[in-house]
């Protein structure tokens, strides 16, 4: 039996690993194998340069950063298994965590399985992924390739509004493409967008394809009221159509909201089950950054340590 099991291998999982290992808890971390379609290391393995993670004045490759986090975990004493957790039993302590090959028990569990940005999977999307297409404007919007260029954001929720506002600092013009003729976003966010002269909304419109040579140059849009398709210049395309948190394997073992995000006590990583903590994007639909995930990974480690000291088995 382990003191602590960590599930997930992004910045949240490895930060929790480094802290709990240094505190002497010999944690076991399940890093997954293509869990949710993403390599061990998490979402950062799907991006090029990360320019907003402190400590790297010239930026750092997403995969490189995750490999360094993993190496730091191993050096700190984290045991890592490259297996995907398929089910858990949190109904009694010690808790049980199962993969297809392994069953392990632990006195405390930290869930850090992240989330996946939804994509539309239009025909030529893969050709331009990270060569004009992104699912994170806050991460990629400031790249030189997007400066003073027409950019498109897909979605009508708060994320789309926030991303369009952010991109308006860099692009020449921002087009929000939304499939209906009213937004889902909060009134406050809508008002900010309506007041921004650089942003235009293309109502009742959807994306059907993307085009370009080496990099994205146009999106193909369809007016849903007339069914007319047309090319629209865009050097950047940003999906803001929601995320899917990786929580299906929990099968209701901890409380989630109606979109599957784990509910944590405000200002902490405490879940509905005492002894089970959640960190990173799996419990955060607002900030969704590597640094905030690492931050909550640290919080989960410290809260788990405190819990174990106060609740010995
Ligand atoms: P994730 O990074 O989501 O990793 C969790 C991982 O755990 C999963 O990917 C999977 O490998 C593993 N896992 C999942 N389920 C299981 C399971 N059942 N069992 C075992 N393992 C499992 N943020 C920035 O700060 N700067 C950026 O420049 C930046 N660029 C980005 C670019 C892109 C294209 C994307 C998609 C995101 C970007 N982000 C960026 C956001 C950042 O990547 C995330 O906020 C961060 O990675 C979340 O970390 P996490 O630890 O919560 O989980
Ligand atoms: P939402 O689910 O709220 O919105 C997703 C948007 O994408 C919707 O407008 C939806 O259209 C559209 N969409 C979904 N799938 C498709 C598709 N296949 N094709 C075209 N359009 C599609 O997600 P968000 O990420 O915006 O927000 C998630 C949660 O996080 C919300 O509760 C939000 O309030 C919150 N949030 C809060 C922020 C803040 O307070 N500052 C910032 C960011 C998020 P339709 O409307 O037609 O369904």
């Amino acid at each position: 039996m382990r003191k602590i099991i960590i599930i997930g291998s992004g910045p949240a999982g490895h930060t929790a690993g480094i802290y709990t290992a240094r505190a002497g808890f010999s944690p076991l971390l399940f890093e997954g194998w293509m869990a949710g379609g993403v390599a061990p290391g998490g979402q950062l393995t799907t991006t090029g340069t990360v320019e907003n993670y402190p400590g790297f004045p010239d930026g750092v490759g997403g995969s490189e950063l995750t490999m360094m986090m993993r190496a730091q975990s191993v050096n700190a004493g984290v045991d890592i298994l490259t297996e995907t957790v398929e089910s858990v039993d949190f109904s009694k302590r010690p808790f049980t965590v199962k993969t297809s090959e392994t069953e392990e028990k632990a006195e405390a569990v930290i869930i850090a399985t992240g989330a996946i940005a939804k994509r539309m999977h239009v025909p030529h999307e893969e050709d331009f992924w990270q060569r004009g297409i992104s699912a994170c404007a806050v991460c990629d919007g400031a790249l030189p390739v997007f400066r003073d260029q027409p950019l498109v954001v897909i979605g009508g929720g708060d994320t789309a509004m926030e991303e369009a506002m952010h991109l308006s600092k860099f692009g020449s013009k921002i087009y929000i493409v939304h499939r209906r003729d009213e937004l889902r976003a909060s009134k406050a966010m809508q008002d900010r967008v309506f007041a921004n002269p650089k942003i235009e909304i293309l109502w009742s419109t959807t994306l059907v394809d993307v085009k370009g040579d080496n990099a994205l140059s146009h999106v193909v849009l369809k007016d849903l009221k007339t069914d007319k398709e047309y090319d629209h210049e865009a050097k950047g395309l940003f999906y803001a159509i929601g995320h899917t948190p990786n929580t299906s394997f929990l099968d209701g073992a901890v409380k989630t909201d109606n979109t599957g995000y784990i509910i944590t006590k405000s200002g902490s990583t405490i879940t509905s089950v005492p002894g089970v903590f959640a960190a990173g994007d799996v419990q955060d639909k607002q900030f969704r950054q590597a640094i905030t995930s690492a931050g909550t990974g640290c919080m989960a480690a410290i809260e788990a340590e405190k819990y174990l000291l106060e609740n010995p088995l």
Side-chain angles (χ1 to χ4, degrees):
M1 185 174 72
R2 297 280 177 158
K3 284 279 182 199
I4 297 181
I5 284 178
I6 298 159
I7 312 172
S9 52
H14 282 301
T15 304
I18 292 160
Y19 271 78
T20 52
R22 295 190 73 246
F25 288 98
S26 306
L28 172 65
L29 184 150
F30 287 96
E31 68 177 350
W33 178 246
M34 297 313 287
V38 177
Q43 293 172 67
L44 290 179
T45 63
T46 68
T47 191
T49 307
V50 176
E51 294 186 334
N52 53 10
Y53 198 85
F56 300 93
D58 302 317
V60 57
S63 292
E64 197 188 340
L65 180 57
T66 64
M67 284 192 289
M68 286 193 281
M69 287 179 183
R70 190 184 192 281
Q72 195 171 348
S73 272
V74 171
N75 290 346
V78 180
D79 290 332
I80 299 180
L81 280 181
T82 310
E83 296 174 26
T84 299
V85 173
E86 292 179 349
S87 65
V88 296
D89 182 356
F90 293 162
S91 62
K92 55 184 181 304
R93 270 180 94 209
F95 304 121
T96 307
V97 171
K98 281 188 198 171
T99 72
S100 59
E101 296 148 65
T102 306
E103 176 171 324
E104 267 286 357
K105 292 198 185 294
E107 292 181 39
V109 172
I110 295 172
I111 304 166
T113 45
I116 297 172
K118 289 184 195 161
R119 301 195 200 176
M120 287 186 70
H121 301 293
V122 293
H124 295 91
E125 185 178 292
E126 279 307 321
D127 300 347
F128 300 104
W129 182 252
Q130 292 299 316
R131 283 192 295 137
I133 309 182
S134 162
C136 183
V138 175
C139 316
D140 298 332
L143 294 174
V145 67
F146 299 129
R147 300 266 166 147
D148 299 317
Q149 300 292 340
L151 307 173
V152 163
V153 176
I154 313 276
D158 280 327
T159 302
M161 302 307 111
E162 214 166 66
E163 305 233 316
M165 291 295 293
H166 179 73
L167 290 172
S168 70
K169 289 183 258 171
F170 311 109
S172 57
K173 177 104 189 185
I174 316 302
Y175 298 90
I176 295 176
V177 170
H178 183 42
R179 62 185 175 184
R180 293 187 294 134
D181 54 12
E182 67 178 327
L183 296 171
R184 179 178 294 277
S186 60
K187 170 132 188 355
M189 294 296 286
Q190 293 193 28
D191 288 346
R192 265 179 248 168
V193 162
F194 293 149
N196 187 323
K198 275 176 116 181
I199 303 178
E200 181 180 336
I201 303 182
L202 305 178
W203 301 102
S204 301
T205 300
T206 193
L207 177 78
V208 290
D209 205 351
V210 286
K211 286 182 175 176
D213 291 323
N214 287 324
L216 181 78
S217 66
H218 290 80
V219 291
V220 184
L221 301 178
K222 180 177 182 178
D223 183 321
L224 291 169
K225 292 207 163 145
T226 61
D227 269 352
K228 195 178 152 237
E229 289 187 12
Y230 59 98
D231 289 357
H232 181 100
E233 191 187 3
K235 294 291 174 351
L237 168 65
F238 296 85
Y239 285 136
I241 59 171
H243 284 70
T244 308
N246 293 318
T247 51
S248 56
F249 73 100
L250 293 170
D251 197 22
V254 297
K255 270 196 190 138
T256 58
D257 70 10
N258 60 3
T259 52
Y261 283 87
I262 296 176
I263 297 170
T264 49
K265 192 176 153 199
S266 178
S268 88
T269 62
I270 293 170
T271 70
S272 58
V273 179
V276 177
F277 303 85
D281 284 12
V282 76
Q283 53 84 57
D284 170 20
K285 56 165 77 163
Q286 188 176 356
F287 300 108
R288 297 190 285 226
Q289 297 295 297
I291 190 70
T292 48
S293 296
T296 51
C298 162
M299 287 166 62
I302 292 171
E303 288 183 315
E305 289 166 25
K306 183 169 179 285
Y307 174 84
L308 288 174
L309 293 175
E310 290 172 356
N311 299 276
L313 265 189

